[in-house]
Amino acid sequence: MCAHQCYQRLSSNTLKFATLPNNACINLCDLNISRWLEAHSDRSAGLTTFARNVILADVSGDGDYKLVLTDVRIQTDKRSRLKVYKGTLLTSDQVLPDVPSSVISFYTDDLEPRVPAVAVACSSDLLIFKNNKPFYKFCVPPGPLTPLEEECWKLFAEPNYDTQKLITDLKSVNFNQLSGRSQELLNLQPNQAQEYIQRYVGITPIKTSPIVCMSTLNRSSQDALAVACPVLGTEDGIIYVLDPQIFTVLHQANVCNVKSTPTIIKTTGMYDVEFRIVVACRENSICVLRRGWLEGKPVVQLNEDIIDLLLIPGDNFIIIGTTSKMLHCYTKRGQRVWSAATVNAITCLCLVPLKHLSTHLIAVGLKGGSVHLYHGRQTVDYTNSPDTPSAMVFGQLGQEEHVMVIITMGGTINFKILKRTADFNLSNQDKLSVPTLQSKPLPLPKRSKLFIEQSMRERQDPMQMHQSFQQDLVNLRLTAARALVQNLTEQSGAGNAEEQVKLSAQILGLGPKFTLILTLENMNGDKAVSNFSVVFHAKPTIYKLSSYLSTVPLIPPGLSYKLETKVTEVLKSGEEQLPGQAIRVFVIRKGQAHPVLAATINMPPTEITTLLFIFSQKFKSACEKMRAFSKRPPDSDILEVYSFYKQATLGDINIPKPSDIQGRAKWEAWNGKKGLAADLAKQKYIEKVQGLSGTYA
Amino acid sequence: MGLFTKFVYLLGVRKKEVNVLVVGLNNSGKSTVVNHFKNEEERVSEIVPTVGFSVERFQNQNLAFTAFDMSGHGRYRDLWEHYYKDCHGIIFVVDSSDRLRLVVVKEELDLLLQHPDICNRKLPILFFANKMDCKDALSSVKIAAGLGLDKIMDKPWHIAASNALTGEGLQEGVEWLTQQIRDVILSKN
C-alpha cells in the first residue's frame, strides 16, 4: 500500500491514517510534487498571534496587498504591537494600548484612492487606523451599573465611610457585573485600597464591556472592495453594527436570549438588504442574527468546544472545528450536513477561496504542524508548517493572489504560494466521493453487482465473449431447426382437432418387458367414433410386441378405450445398450390413407440391474442345461465350455500346472482364456452351450 | 541562403524579422521594458496592466523585432506557451524587489524550460532583473542564484540588471540578445 506508506512518511505524528478514506490517501500520494511553493519562512519573527488577528489588506491603497497582524503580549510589562508586512519585510510597527482581540480591515467610503481602514479591538475600544495612522477611536457604549455598586461608590465619596464594609458589599455582587474599577479594587491588597479609592472618589464608575470578536458586513454591495460596516461582539453578549463613515451604532442586538458570550463572528449578505450574522458562543452554541432582529436565535448546540468557525460564501454552510478533532458542517438553519474527523487536534481554520476553480477549500491547521485542505468533507491536499499553526490567512499578498500566511505557535511566519497549475483534482473528486465517516461500502443490490461483474468480464475479454455468444446462438438455431425437421417428418401430436380424439400412452415396467397402455379418448360431445385401428411401428431388432395391429371398437362420446400391449426389448449382450428407442403409434381409420393420429412413444431404457439379473439367470440356466445334456459332446467342446466357465467364475488362471494329461489339457484350455472379462466369458459360455444344445440336448 | 544574400544580409541592406517573447510575472515591468525599445514618438506615457498580450515592433542593429508582450497575470500565464513555437528569443523580466514571488518566478521559468517547444531548442533567454532602483531590490547575481540559472546548460542566457523607467541596462541586454539571435540564424543558414 504505497498510499499508506507515503502518508506515514509525510506525517509520522499522525497515527490515525488508517481511518482516513481511501481516496484521501490516494490524493496524499499525489503529493510527491507539492501544490505549494515555499516562498519564505522566518523562524526569528517571534510573533505571537491568534486566529482573526491576521489579515491581508491593501492598506496603502496601491494594489500592493500587505499583511497586517497584531503581535499579542499578555504580560503587563510588554506592549502588544500592530505590525504591517510588505511582502516578507516588516514595514510598520505600532504599539497598541491594550491587548488586542481582533483585527479587521474595511473600506469606509467610495472615494478614490480606495484606502481601507484597519480596526483593532483593544479592550472596549475600537482603534481605527488609516494609512497606518490613527484615524478614529470608537468606544463601546457603557452598560448599566448594578444599584449596589453605584451606591457603594457614592458612599466612598462621603467623609465617613467604612471601607471594609463597602468592599464586602461589592464582593457580594457578581464579579462579572462589576465595572472594571470595582474589579480592580477587589483585586488590590487592603492597604492599597484606600489610596485607590481616593484617586477615583467622586467620579461615577463606567461599566464597559470589552470587545471579544469582530467582523465586517458589506453595506450595500457584495463587491470585495465595497464599503463595509464593522460588526463587534462584546463580552456582555451584545452585537453592534457600526456605520463605517461616522462610527455610530447602526444596529444593536443581543447574541441570544440566554447569556452567551460571542467568540467568533462571521457575516454574510449586505446590511442594507438582508444579512446573516453567525456567532459562535463560548457556551458551545451557534447563534444566527438577521436583519431587524434584536436577539439572535441559537441554531446549533454542540457538546464540544468550538475552536474556529467559517462561513462558506455562496451556500452559507457553517464549518465548525471542535476540540474533539472533528470538523462539522451545518446549513444556515442548523442542520448538520456532514462531519469529518481530523487526524490531529485542530488549532485554526482558514477559508481558501479559489476563484479560478470557482470553489472554496477549508484549510485546517492541525497540532504538530500540518495543514490539511478539505473540499467538502474530503481531504484534497496536505502541506506542512514549521510547527503548530496558530493563525492562518489566505488571499492576496503583494502582487500574488494565492498566498497562505501561517503564523505558528513558535512565532515563525511562513509564506506559501499556491501553484498556478494546482487544480486539486477537483474534477475527479466528484467521481470518488466516498463519505469520510462511512468506512464500509454500501451494500450493492444483487442485480447491479451481477451487472458490474458482467461488464467487468466483458471489458476483460470482449473477443472471446462475442465468439462464445455467436457459437451458442448458432447451436441454438441448429437445435431449433433439427427439432422442427423432426416434428415435420414424424408428424407427432397427441390430439386431432378435427376428429376430436385424444391419445395418451403409459409405459409400465422396468424392462426388458414393458406394458404399454394406450388410452384413446373420444372428446367429441355427441358423436361416437368407430372403424379405428391402432398400428404399432417399432424396429423389430429392438422391440417385440405382442400385437402390431389392434382394432378399436366403437367409442361412445366422452368415453375412452384402453389398449394394452406387451413390449419386450430384445437384449443383445455384449453390445452397448441403446438409451431407449421410440415406438411409433398410428391411429388409422378404415379406408383412409392418412393416419388420424400419429404419436411417438419414447421407451425408457431397461434398468441395468434388471439386465444384470437376467444375464445371471441366463448363465445359471445355461449351466443347468449343460449338466442335463443327454449326449456327451466331444472333448474339445467340453474343454472350451469348461475354460469359459472357469474364466467366468474364477477369473484368470490361479493354479499351478498339473502333471496328469487330463488336468494339463484343462489347465491349458483355461490358460488360453487369460485376460477375458468375466461378463464376456459368461456370454461366450451361454452362446457355446446354446450352440451345443441343438445336437446334444 | 546563397553567398550573395548572406553578403547583402551582413551589409544590412535587408532586414531580418525575428520574434521575441516578453514574459514575466505581472507588475514586473514587461510593457515598460518593451515601451523603452520603441521609437521616441511611439512611446506611451502611462503603462497599464496588459490584458492577454500586445504586439510591439522595434529595431535593433538591422534586426526587426516583433515583441509579443505577454500578460503576466496568473490567469493569462497559460497563454505564453502558445507563442513558444514561433519565437527566436525570450526576454524574461523579473521584479527584483519582489522577494516573495521569486519562487513563483522560478516555478514559471521551470515550466517554460520544460515545455516541449522550448526544451530541445537552443533559444537565447535574456533575463532582466528589473526595478534595480528599488531600495530592497536583490542584485542580479542573487536573482540568478535564486532562479537556478546556472543549471541552464543547453541555452545561452544572460542576466542584466535594469531599470525600465530610465532605460538603464536595457540596451546592453538587448544587444546581447540581438547578437545571439543573429548567431543562431547565421549558423542555421
Side-chain angles (χ1 to χ4, degrees), chain A residues 46-91:
Chain A
L47 295 170
T48 313
T49 191
F50 309 106
R52 295 169 295 281
N53 275 285
V54 186
I55 52 165
L56 296 168
D58 180 19
V59 287
S60 45
D62 56 358
D64 189 41
Y65 279 67
K66 312 282 193 299
L67 171 70
V68 182
L69 55 87
T70 55
D71 191 4
V72 182
R73 293 282 182 274
I74 297 164
Q75 302 92 319
T76 45
D77 55 331
K78 285 182 182 159
R79 308 299 294 268
S80 298
R81 288 168 176 278
L82 178 70
K83 293 184 174 177
V84 178
Y85 281 81
K86 179 184 191 298
T88 56
L89 301 168
L90 179 67
T91 53

Side-chain angles (χ1 to χ4, degrees), chain A residues 37-40 64 86-89 397-401 403 415 417 419-421, chain B residues 25-27 73-78 80 98-101 103-104 107-108 111 136:
Chain A
L37 297 166
E38 283 296 330
H40 184 72
D64 189 41
K86 179 184 191 298
T88 56
L89 301 168
L397 178 63
Q399 296 290 332
E400 188 60 41
E401 275 184 350
V403 185
F415 296 84
I417 298 176
K419 281 187 188 170
R420 179 169 63 90
T421 48
Chain B
L25 303 190
N26 51 326
N27 198 41
H73 201 278
R75 61 173 164 269
Y76 296 121
R77 274 177 224 160
D78 38 7
W80 297 2
D98 195 349
R99 289 157 191 259
L100 179 73
R101 290 211 294 172
V103 281
V104 185
E107 170 76 11
E108 294 295 345
L111 283 176
D136 49 354

Side-chain angles (χ1 to χ4, degrees), chain A residues 258-503:
Chain A
V258 292
K259 160 101 179 65
S260 310
T261 311
T263 53
I264 307 157
I265 292 184
K266 296 282 169 187
T267 66
T268 171
M270 287 166 277
Y271 179 78
D272 287 347
V273 186
E274 174 62 73
F275 62 85
R276 213 176 264 274
I277 299 176
V278 179
V279 187
C281 301
R282 212 170 283 161
E283 287 77 15
N284 300 338
S285 62
I286 305 283
C287 297
V288 168
L289 196 71
R290 296 179 67 174
R291 184 179 160 83
W293 291 11
L294 292 174
E295 209 165 64
K297 204 172 88 181
V299 289
V300 180
Q301 178 66 51
L302 291 167
N303 294 326
E304 55 238 295
D305 289 336
I306 298 166
I307 292 173
D308 212 339
L309 174 110
L310 288 182
L311 206 57
I312 307 277
D315 46 15
N316 285 342
F317 280 160
I318 305 167
I319 307 289
I320 306 164
T322 68
T323 43
S324 56
K325 300 182 186 175
M326 290 295 281
L327 208 59
H328 300 293
C329 175
Y330 288 89
T331 63
K332 56 190 176 182
R333 294 183 206 287
Q335 283 143 354
R336 190 153 79 174
V337 184
W338 51 261
S339 290
T342 57
V343 290
N344 227 327
I346 300 170
T347 55
C348 53
L349 298 181
C350 163
L351 191 68
V352 179
L354 297 171
K355 263 188 203 158
H356 60 294
L357 300 173
S358 55
T359 189
H360 295 87
L361 300 184
I362 308 153
V364 183
L366 300 174
K367 197 178 165 192
S370 54
V371 178
H372 283 210
L373 281 108
Y374 282 79
H375 180 248
R377 71 182 82 177
Q378 290 153 29
T379 324
V380 291
D381 197 13
Y382 168 93
T383 182
N384 266 331
S385 81
D387 58 300
T388 309
S390 65
M392 294 191 293
V393 69
F394 182 88
Q396 181 166 4
L397 178 63
Q399 296 290 332
E400 188 60 41
E401 275 184 350
H402 299 140
V403 185
M404 184 182 268
V405 183
I406 302 171
I407 290 146
T408 68
M409 301 277 188
T412 308
I413 185 163
N414 183 228
F415 296 84
K416 287 178 198 293
I417 298 176
L418 187 67
K419 281 187 188 170
R420 179 169 63 90
T421 48
D423 64 350
F424 295 101
N425 295 333
L426 290 181
S427 49
N428 305 342
Q429 278 296 307
D430 304 333
K431 294 173 202 159
L432 304 159
S433 56
V434 177
T436 310
L437 283 183
Q438 192 176 341
S439 51
K440 59 182 176 186
L442 282 168
L444 218 59
K446 201 179 174 187
R447 204 179 286 176
S448 317
K449 215 177 206 167
L450 278 174
F451 176 76
I452 290 166
E453 280 169 7
Q454 180 64 16
S455 51
M456 290 297 283
R457 250 179 279 140
E458 273 172 16
R459 217 172 294 166
Q460 269 174 358
D461 204 353
M463 287 292 284
Q464 205 189 336
M465 291 285 284
H466 181 72
Q467 275 170 4
S468 64
F469 173 73
Q470 288 294 336
Q471 217 167 12
D472 285 354
L473 190 66
V474 168
N475 270 342
L476 180 70
R477 279 179 182 157
L478 192 65
T479 319
R482 268 184 191 153
L484 182 68
V485 167
Q486 202 180 355
N487 268 354
L488 285 175
T489 51
E490 288 183 357
Q491 206 203 346
S492 63
N496 186 321
E498 213 179 295
E499 296 287 341
Q500 295 190 311
V501 181
K502 208 172 111 184
L503 179 74

